[in-house]
Amino acid sequence: MAAPSGLPASVAPVICRNVPVFPAVPLSADAAPFTPQGADVRQRGARQQTDAERLFCRCAAKLRGLRADTSQLREELNLLFDQLISENFNRSLEPNINIRPEDVCHLLVNASCLVPMSQEHLVVKLCKLVHHLLNQLKVIMDEHTLDVMLKYMTSVLEACSTWTHLGVLQALATVVYGNGPQCHQHLNNLLGEGGVLLLYSAPSQPDMDLRHMALTCMANICVRISGQPPLDDRHKSVCFSVFLETLQAARPDDGDELFYCIVIQAALKGLHCCLLGGKWKFGGGEVVGSVLAALKGAPGVSVEWPTVLNPAPLPHYESPSERKPDGEVTKPTEAAKDGGGKASANKKRRSRGKGKKTSIEESRRDDEDDGEAAALAPHKTGSEAKPAVSLNPSWKRNTSDSEFSDPEGSAQSKLRLSHARVRQGALHCLLAVVKWVEKRTLYGYWSSFIPEAPVGNGTTPPLTLLTIILKDPSPKVRACALQALSAMLDGSRQFLAVAEDTASPPTSYTPFSFTLATAVRELHRSLSLVLMAETSPHTLTQVIKCLAHLVSNAPYHRLRPGLLSSLWKQIRPYVRHRDANVRVSTLTLYGALVTTQAPLPEVQLLLQQPEGSGAGDCCGSFTPQDSRALSWRRGGETPSPRGPRTPKEAEGGPPWLLTLCAALVTMPRDEPSDSEGGGGSTLEPSPVRLEALQVLSLLVRGYISLTQASLCEIGQLSARCLAESDPSIQLHGAKLLEELGTGIIQQYQSESDVSESTRVPMSQVVQFWKEVLSGPLNGALQNQQHPTLQTSACDTLSSILPQAFAQLPEKTQLMCITVLLGLTYSDSDLVKMAAVRALGVYVLFPCLREDLMFVADTANVILAALDDRSSNIRAKAAWSLGNLTDTLLVNMDCMEVDFQEEMSDMLLLKMLQAATRAAADKDKVKCNAVRALGNLLHFLREGQLSRALFRQPLEDAVRALVMSVQSVATMKVRWNACYALGNAFRNPDLPLESACWSGDAFAALCNVVASCKNFKVRIKSAAALAEPGHRRCYGDAEGFGRVWRSLAAALRSSEDTHDFLEYRYSASLRHTLSRALLHLLRLGLPLDVPAIAASLVSEEDGGGGVREHLIKYLRAEGMGEEKDAAAGDAKNPQQRVQSLQQTVERLKIMDTDTEEEERGKEALIYFLGDLLKDCEEP
């Protein structure tokens, strides 16, 4: 430890173990101190300390040597503190500074022990030192130091004079930054009732500096550093209330505007930190409305806003109130936060041509490079534009430079800069609210931030996000507003789905669907104006991204055509912008255009236009601000392999967008872009090429009919990508192949409406896959360094058209199978999943499913994957096992007995046992495991079922299905389990009449068909109950009666549901139940008739709906477009009536043994005869 300066000069050196021996030197103020850092000194080796490090070590040593009773303690501390404060420890300027955090903590603890609270000047200087060191060295304090410093500062705030508190609060803000959860022992003193932070942050606090520092302390307490727990909800709620109260409070009349802006910035920062904590936890809708009102409203200007925004079930319009007198000032913060008041509304709005563009452009001419610098420059709005009603706050009015002297102009520039920062902070808070508040809650507030009617025609524009985007002079503020708008649009597809304006609205009222459609059109119009005027590349990128979110969520198939055509032409020049980020966002927008409701007729027409069409129109209607920014390619032309074509030449050719994306991927660019330096003829930056490949994939997915003419060219492009060294390019090349293969498969599906003449010819498909499989795709399949690429390559193999696979050379087929079987043993879970899934696809191929060896090999691989530790792999394996068992049933029908006899009994047993175990796994595994069980139970023959080896596995399998039907698992599991039981009941060799598990299976289905809330589950359970083809399968009369009563009760309650979404399946449910009841009638025996008749007679007396539903079924009424209703029932109405007549004839000749059976028989014949008469009536 260094000695104080008053000690003798000759001191014997202290020698410790593992510490180097230093020669004895006289101690003085200039001598290098001894710092016992041991191994750290040796670790530094010969590295020379910087001046800042030497100063810090010297001062730290002196502090350690000082004692509280030293005579010149005050002077020594003053000198040391001054030296440390005057030194620059900023590592951004001096990266070589290497001062350990623990040394800083020791210094601060020592200093706090030496500075008495009576020496207030030293206290202030110590606090300044704390802020200086922690802020510049970015030190994370340990818990002991944090506790010591917090105790010291809270004591100072209680004991010292008020004039010291500003410096103490500044140091406290630095100490608590990100340490809120660790300060829990001191938070009650700071944030509790009567706490110093609550006292100084109150709106009644006259000292703006103290108020600002107190709010900063609270904001820093709420800051959450990654990896640390959040602040507890109680204290966070206290801070949240203070921040919100600050934003809602009025500015003091005698307060300085600039200082007040700084206070608001601190409150907004704190509110933002609170909102970033995750899900909204600060109260119900009223609190949300208060926050949104505080972020948007402008009560201090000519427009009055309520303190709470209420969600609107229907659109409401906000109108400006009468202007207040200049002396009447209320809450002045919100307009600055919204930014809509930053620009006045022009009385004359020009809607077309260069007039409107110029008025917007002139306000942004000088601010494209730096947002805050732009705010420093005066905002020119045109002296001739006199707004009828000003939207500017009285403390935010724009003025010209000529009205001020230089000092005044500087002050106004600072004020404008501060206002811009306030608006930026408010928009950050709005973005956090949008992200963390439930979407459904926010939809009610859309009308407060997005206009629901066109703005113009001399009316004052409302204060909305579009006002900021169009009018704010700061590019950073405009970008923040665009981010908030993008967040609101993201995920709003369900909300916007009701928008429609294809028909004229009623004159008596405006439907909500038409209001939403108007809002979508206004968003298009406003964002198009911004796109024309914006010159900042960063903000321009946000504009295009916002348009992409709008396009992805708006229902254009319900809107009048034209919106997308205008946007399509307007964004075309931006694919040639010199900024790579702008080019990427433009391609993202094109991707959204070809994805939304694809195939959309309007987009299809745009894609079919020749390359040169619309160029003149585009240039006439759209003049980008920076023509040089859009012409970095040679000649300013879009790269394409050939020149413009005439419309006749364009027919059948590739779409312009396809040609563009291919050129961006393969052709070199002639000039460097802003975002990447260097020259020479190089390819596009990787983000641009990747986005172009993604657009190609989306184009192929949505518009395969337009891209199929370029099948070979796309294959060559993908091969070129796969041959590159960049794994990302290779990955997207493989995904492009997969999309192309999937699109071809969809064309050849039986339910496809694509005519045979318009499909890709089979010979071309075969040739395409021959070239692909003989190219670099093989290398991607074997690239073990990049598992994601291998996964995508496996998916590509699974997208081969089955008919084309059959025509590939045998060695190519064998290569695909061998590679996939080998990749199932990969160390990567992703690769293993993809390989198992691909084999599950291949096993359905007609050319492979009859290959017993391939089926057996695939089964063994799937069984091994079902025991994998990864649930994702087990889920894929269960899906593949379901496909494999589907193949068994297809082969059983096609190949009859031969295939069943050749199939190994032991392999079938293993599959049955593995599927039974998987049925007890997670739901994502179980849903396909039960499907496989149903197929296997259907496939097994009498010779296998009668063997003792199969008896117990058979019972376990059925019980697993019963448990899945009765479980609380997802509805997909229960739906599949009911279907599986019905599938098993189709097996005539299954001993339903004698098995011990048969009663449980029927009981589970009866319970579900009558009580399950999900109609799809009830449909499948009813269908399963109608599957047995013989009366003996239902057991005795009691079991048969239970099934009948359950189906009848389910039919009576088929319209009882509280979930509106279930009504989609109500017709299908009634259809299936009616078919099941008539099926039981055909199988009924004399001993069953009394129960059936009693049920129908009570139905007649009770006036229920079984009779009416049966009549509708026989007449085939009420089905609509429900396809599920016809599943398993191909009979037309005439055939259904004939079947019922046969049932009546069978009943008439049926012999009965008892009088009860005879009465039941007569009642049943009468009921059915009546039913037939009703069906014959027109």
Side-chain angles (χ1 to χ4, degrees):
M1 181 177 295
S5 57
L7 293 179
S10 178
V11 179
V14 180
I15 302 176
C16 300
R17 183 180 301 174
N18 297 329
V19 176
V21 179
F22 292 89
V25 295
L27 294 179
S28 67
D30 298 327
F34 172 69
T35 53
Q37 295 177 334
D40 184 63
V41 174
R42 296 193 297 274
Q43 184 179 357
R44 295 182 184 181
R47 189 184 74 83
Q48 187 176 2
Q49 287 184 325
T50 62
D51 293 339
E53 289 175 333
R54 285 195 293 269
L55 174 67
F56 182 86
C57 293
R58 184 167 60 250
C59 293
K62 288 185 178 181
L63 273 174
R64 286 196 297 271
L66 291 177
R67 295 291 181 268
D69 55 354
T70 304
S71 59
Q72 298 182 344
L73 177 65
R74 180 176 178 180
E75 290 75 11
E76 291 285 348
L77 289 176
N78 261 316
L79 177 62
L80 292 174
F81 290 171
D82 287 339
Q83 290 176 348
L84 289 170
I85 293 172
S86 62
E87 183 63 37
N88 191 346
F89 295 102
N90 197 330
R91 285 175 173 167
S92 61
L93 300 177
E94 184 59 50
N96 294 328
I97 294 179
N98 186 17
I99 299 176
R100 300 187 308 172
E102 52 267 33
D103 294 337
V104 177
C105 292
H106 292 158
L107 183 145
L108 296 179
V109 170
N110 291 336
S112 65
C113 295
L114 292 173
V115 177
M117 296 182 189
S118 58
Q119 299 291 333
E120 293 185 345
H121 287 280
L122 274 180
V123 170
V124 173
K125 193 167 289 188
L126 172 60
C127 291
K128 191 172 183 180
L129 175 64
V130 171
H131 171 73
H132 180 72
L133 291 178
L134 297 182
N135 191 42
Q136 291 200 347
L137 291 173
K138 311 298 181 187
V139 173
I140 300 177
M141 293 185 294
D142 55 73
E143 293 186 7
H144 172 70
T145 305
L146 179 65
D147 185 64
V148 170
M149 299 308 298
L150 284 174
K151 285 181 179 178
Y152 180 79
M153 291 179 182
T154 52
S155 301
V156 167
L157 289 172
E158 295 174 358
C160 294
S161 304
T162 306
W163 73 270
T164 65
H165 289 186
L166 182 62
V168 177
L169 289 176
Q170 184 185 35
L172 180 63
T174 311
V175 169
V176 299
Y177 183 86
N179 291 318
Q182 287 76 32
C183 303
H184 56 89
Q185 295 180 353
H186 306 275
L187 290 181
N188 288 332
N189 295 331
L190 298 173
L191 299 175
E193 187 176 355
V196 64
L197 293 184
L198 294 183
L199 176 66
Y200 284 143
S201 63
S204 58
Q205 172 59 239
D207 191 329
M208 286 291 185
D209 287 330
L210 283 175
R211 189 177 173 192
H212 166 243
M213 273 301 143
L215 289 169
T216 302
C217 286
M218 297 173 69
N220 289 353
I221 289 173
C222 296
V223 169
R224 181 182 180 184
I225 298 178
S226 178
Q228 291 189 1
L231 184 65
D232 63 278
D233 293 341
R234 182 170 67 90
H235 291 109
K236 186 184 290 186
S237 298
V238 171
C239 296
F240 175 85
S241 301
V242 172
F243 298 141
L244 183 57
E245 184 182 4
T246 302
L247 297 178
Q248 293 174 334
R251 177 175 68 89
D253 296 335
D254 56 348
D256 184 89
E257 295 178 3
L258 185 59
F259 285 156
Y260 185 70
C261 285
I262 295 174
V263 170
I264 295 301
Q265 289 177 41
L268 287 170
K269 175 189 174 184
L271 185 64
H272 186 250
C273 293
C274 291
L275 295 173
L276 287 181
K279 190 177 180 181
W280 179 270
K281 299 178 181 179
F282 302 107
E286 185 175 352
V287 180
V288 175
S290 299
V291 173
L292 293 177
L295 297 176
K296 185 211 170 176
V301 291
S302 59
V303 181
E304 284 190 359
W305 302 104
T307 56
V308 178
L309 290 181
N310 295 315
L314 291 176
H316 66 276
Y317 296 89
E318 301 154 328
S319 59
S321 63
E322 295 183 359
R323 168 170 287 200
K324 290 189 173 185
D326 293 339
E328 183 179 353
V329 180
T330 55
K331 302 178 226 176
T333 66
E334 289 84 344
K337 296 164 220 144
D338 184 76
K342 192 65 181 177
S344 62
N346 290 337
K347 188 175 182 179
K348 299 178 180 179
R349 293 181 60 89
R350 286 166 285 188
S351 59
R352 291 188 181 87
K354 297 181 180 179
K356 175 175 285 188
K357 178 181 64 181
T358 304
S359 65
I360 301 175
E361 290 164 11
E362 288 180 355
S363 69
R364 303 183 183 177
R365 183 72 65 184
D366 301 323
D367 61 11
E368 61 179 300
D369 295 326
D370 183 86
E372 295 183 0
L376 290 171
H379 179 44
K380 300 178 182 179
T381 58
S383 59
E384 73 282 353
K386 297 180 180 179
V389 180
S390 173
L391 295 181
N392 293 327
S394 59
W395 53 289
K396 278 200 330 179
R397 298 293 168 81
N398 293 322
T399 53
S400 64
D401 287 336
S402 60
E403 298 179 22
F404 300 99
S405 62
D406 290 341
E408 290 173 331
S410 176
Q412 289 296 321
S413 296
K414 290 180 180 179
L415 188 58
R416 281 195 296 271
L417 174 60
S418 186
H419 291 162
R421 288 175 175 171
V422 169
R423 295 195 301 277
Q424 190 174 352
L427 288 167
H428 281 150
C429 290
L430 178 60
L431 178 61
V433 171
V434 172
K435 284 185 176 181
W436 296 112
V437 174
E438 189 179 1
K439 289 283 186 184
R440 189 177 302 177
T441 303
L442 281 177
Y443 290 149
Y445 300 98
W446 267 44
S447 58
S448 298
F449 296 93
I450 297 175
E452 297 177 336
V455 178
N457 301 323
T459 61
T460 300
L463 292 177
T464 64
L465 288 173
L466 293 180
T467 314
I468 312 173
I469 296 167
L470 284 166
K471 297 290 186 180
D472 201 283
S474 169
K476 289 186 177 180
V477 175
R478 297 197 299 270
C480 288
L482 286 163
Q483 289 174 351
L485 180 58
S486 296
M488 293 182 70
L489 292 172
D490 187 23
S492 63
R493 183 176 303 170
Q494 185 177 1
F495 175 64
L496 294 177
V498 300
E500 185 175 12
D501 66 352
T502 52
S504 300
T507 56
S508 57
Y509 69 97
T510 303
F512 182 60
S513 59
F514 188 82
T515 302
L516 268 185
T518 305
V520 171
R521 291 190 173 276
E522 182 61 18
L523 283 169
H524 265 278
R525 188 189 71 85
S526 300
L527 292 175
S528 296
L529 291 176
V530 178
L531 193 62
M532 288 192 294
E534 190 57 65
T535 56
S536 168
H538 173 69
T539 310
L540 183 60
T541 301
Q542 296 300 326
V543 174
I544 300 174
K545 286 182 178 179
C546 188
L547 280 167
H549 283 291
L550 175 61
V551 170
S552 298
N553 291 278
Y556 293 98
H557 61 291
R558 296 168 58 93
L559 304 177
R560 295 194 308 272
L563 289 175
L564 297 181
S565 300
S566 175
L567 181 60
W568 184 281
K569 295 177 181 179
Q570 190 175 3
I571 64 172
R572 264 178 97 162
Y574 288 100
V575 296
R576 304 189 300 270
H577 199 280
R578 66 184 177 190
D579 187 89
N581 293 323
V582 175
R583 301 202 295 278
V584 170
S585 60
T586 304
L587 289 170
T588 303
L589 178 52
Y590 271 119
L593 285 167
V594 299
T595 304
T596 180
Q597 294 103 43
L600 198 65
E602 184 177 358
V603 175
Q604 194 158 4
L605 289 175
L606 292 170
L607 288 169
Q608 289 174 326
Q609 291 180 355
E611 287 178 35
S613 68
D617 296 339
C618 180
C619 294
S621 62
F622 168 64
T623 306
Q625 284 310 298
D626 191 352
S627 60
R628 292 172 298 173
L630 302 178
S631 60
W632 59 270
R633 288 187 179 277
R634 183 175 299 162
E637 295 294 332
T638 302
S640 61
R642 50 177 298 187
R645 300 187 300 267
T646 64
K648 182 173 291 187
E649 291 175 332
E651 292 182 4
W656 168 82
L657 185 59
L658 189 150
T659 306
L660 167 70
C661 292
L664 290 174
V665 174
T666 59
M667 292 183 64
R669 56 190 174 95
D670 301 315
E671 296 181 19
S673 61
D674 285 352
S675 54
E676 290 203 1
S681 181
T682 59
L683 292 173
E684 284 280 356
S686 182
V688 177
R689 301 181 68 206
L690 293 176
E691 196 66 33
L693 286 170
Q694 288 184 359
V695 174
L696 275 177
S697 298
L698 295 174
L699 182 61
V700 168
R701 179 190 302 174
Y703 299 89
I704 181 66
S705 60
L706 299 181
T707 58
Q708 65 186 38
S710 305
L711 185 66
C712 295
E713 289 78 3
I714 295 176
Q716 293 170 4
L717 174 64
S718 300
R720 175 170 176 172
C721 294
L722 286 168
E724 293 194 17
S725 57
D726 187 351
S728 299
I729 299 293
Q730 292 177 313
L731 177 63
H732 283 77
K735 288 185 178 296
L736 178 57
L737 286 176
E738 180 190 353
E739 291 292 349
L740 196 57
T742 303
I744 295 173
I745 290 175
Q746 291 174 353
Q747 282 190 340
Y748 276 84
Q749 286 178 346
S750 58
E751 62 269 16
S752 174
D753 55 357
V754 180
S755 62
E756 187 174 352
S757 60
T758 57
R759 296 174 181 171
V760 183
M762 181 61 67
S763 59
Q764 191 175 352
V765 178
V766 174
Q767 183 60 33
F768 169 78
W769 283 113
K770 282 182 180 179
E771 295 177 359
V772 168
L773 295 174
S774 61
L777 183 63
N778 295 331
L781 287 166
Q782 300 173 16
N783 192 339
Q784 298 181 3
Q785 287 76 25
H786 300 286
T788 308
L789 178 59
Q790 281 185 294
T791 301
S792 184
C794 288
D795 294 337
T796 302
L797 287 185
S798 66
S799 65
I800 301 176
L801 182 68
Q803 298 92 315
F805 187 88
Q807 298 183 30
L808 292 175
E810 185 176 353
K811 63 177 183 180
T812 304
Q813 296 182 16
L814 185 60
M815 182 272 293
C816 294
I817 296 171
T818 304
V819 168
L820 290 177
L821 288 172
L823 289 177
T824 58
Y825 298 97
S826 172
D827 294 333
S828 170
D829 289 352
L830 290 175
V831 178
K832 188 181 295 186
M833 275 193 298
V836 170
R837 177 191 171 276
L839 287 172
V841 173
Y842 275 28
V843 79
L844 296 175
F845 284 8
C847 63
L848 293 178
R849 68 187 179 205
E850 297 179 2
D851 185 345
L852 188 60
M853 294 301 298
F854 170 72
V855 173
D857 289 342
T858 303
N860 287 319
V861 165
I862 292 173
L863 292 177
L866 279 173
D867 292 330
D868 196 272
R869 56 176 177 79
S870 170
S871 60
N872 293 325
I873 293 178
R874 297 198 302 273
K876 292 296 182 185
W879 179 83
S880 296
L881 181 62
N883 286 3
L884 188 146
T885 53
D886 287 341
T887 293
L888 297 182
L889 296 184
V890 173
N891 288 338
M892 180 180 67
D893 295 335
C894 297
M895 303 174 64
E896 297 181 352
V897 194
D898 295 340
F899 185 83
Q900 290 178 287
E901 292 179 351
E902 293 179 1
M903 195 70 184
S904 169
D905 288 357
M906 292 306 300
L907 183 59
L908 288 173
L909 181 62
K910 289 180 180 179
M911 293 166 61
L912 186 66
Q913 292 173 334
T916 303
R917 291 193 301 270
D921 206 330
K922 295 182 179 179
D923 284 355
K924 60 182 179 181
V925 181
K926 186 185 300 184
C927 62
N928 284 296
V930 294
R931 176 167 70 99
L933 280 177
N935 288 334
L936 288 170
L937 292 176
H938 186 183
F939 182 79
L940 294 175
R941 295 297 94 199
E942 183 180 5
Q944 296 160 334
L945 294 173
S946 60
R947 293 180 59 183
L949 190 63
F950 278 85
R951 190 171 298 121
Q952 188 61 42
L954 173 63
E955 181 179 350
D956 294 341
V958 176
R959 300 220 180 266
L961 292 178
V962 171
M963 290 182 63
S964 297
V965 169
Q966 297 174 331
S967 68
V968 292
T970 59
M971 292 304 168
K972 184 177 181 181
V973 173
R974 303 182 72 183
W975 184 90
N976 277 354
C978 292
Y979 177 83
L981 280 176
N983 198 2
F985 290 170
R986 296 193 189 112
N987 187 347
D989 297 327
L990 205 64
L992 288 177
E993 65 277 8
S994 59
C996 59
W997 41 260
S998 179
D1000 295 336
F1002 280 109
L1005 292 173
C1006 289
N1007 179 56
V1008 168
V1009 77
S1011 62
C1012 185
K1013 296 180 180 180
N1014 185 279
F1015 277 16
K1016 291 185 71 175
V1017 175
R1018 295 174 69 179
I1019 290 168
K1020 287 305 170 184
S1021 59
L1025 288 172
E1027 285 297 342
H1030 301 282
R1031 167 62 186 83
R1032 65 177 184 273
C1033 298
Y1034 291 94
D1036 56 12
E1038 182 180 353
F1040 186 88
R1042 181 172 62 248
V1043 174
W1044 173 270
R1045 288 190 297 272
S1046 299
L1047 291 172
L1051 188 56
R1052 295 188 194 101
S1053 62
S1054 58
E1055 296 180 349
D1056 299 341
T1057 179
H1058 300 290
D1059 189 352
F1060 178 76
L1061 297 177
E1062 295 300 326
Y1063 279 110
R1064 295 178 297 172
Y1065 308 105
S1066 59
S1068 178
L1069 175 61
R1070 290 191 293 271
H1071 176 100
T1072 309
L1073 289 168
S1074 300
R1075 181 168 63 88
L1077 286 173
L1078 294 179
H1079 173 74
L1080 291 181
L1081 280 175
R1082 288 193 297 271
L1083 300 179
L1085 297 176
L1087 55 93
D1088 303 320
V1089 170
I1092 296 175
S1095 173
L1096 294 176
V1097 169
S1098 65
E1099 172 66 24
E1100 288 280 322
D1101 296 340
V1106 170
R1107 176 189 176 89
E1108 289 74 12
H1109 292 317
L1110 289 177
I1111 292 174
K1112 289 181 180 179
Y1113 168 76
L1114 292 171
R1115 291 177 174 178
E1117 296 177 356
M1119 285 306 301
E1121 298 179 356
E1122 293 290 345
K1123 297 181 180 180
D1124 289 340
D1129 186 7
K1131 295 180 180 179
N1132 56 38
Q1134 185 178 359
Q1135 292 173 330
R1136 295 172 187 174
V1137 172
Q1138 290 176 354
S1139 177
L1140 182 58
Q1141 289 173 344
Q1142 293 173 1
T1143 301
V1144 173
E1145 294 298 327
R1146 189 178 70 87
L1147 285 172
K1148 289 180 179 179
I1149 62 175
M1150 179 184 292
D1151 295 332
T1152 57
D1153 297 332
T1154 64
E1155 184 178 350
E1156 182 184 8
E1157 292 177 358
E1158 185 64 28
R1159 286 196 304 269
K1161 170 185 168 181
E1162 292 176 358
L1164 186 56
I1165 292 174
Y1166 177 80
F1167 175 86
L1168 296 179
D1170 236 12
L1171 204 62
L1172 288 172
K1173 289 180 183 179
D1174 291 339
C1175 292
E1176 292 172 358
E1177 293 178 0

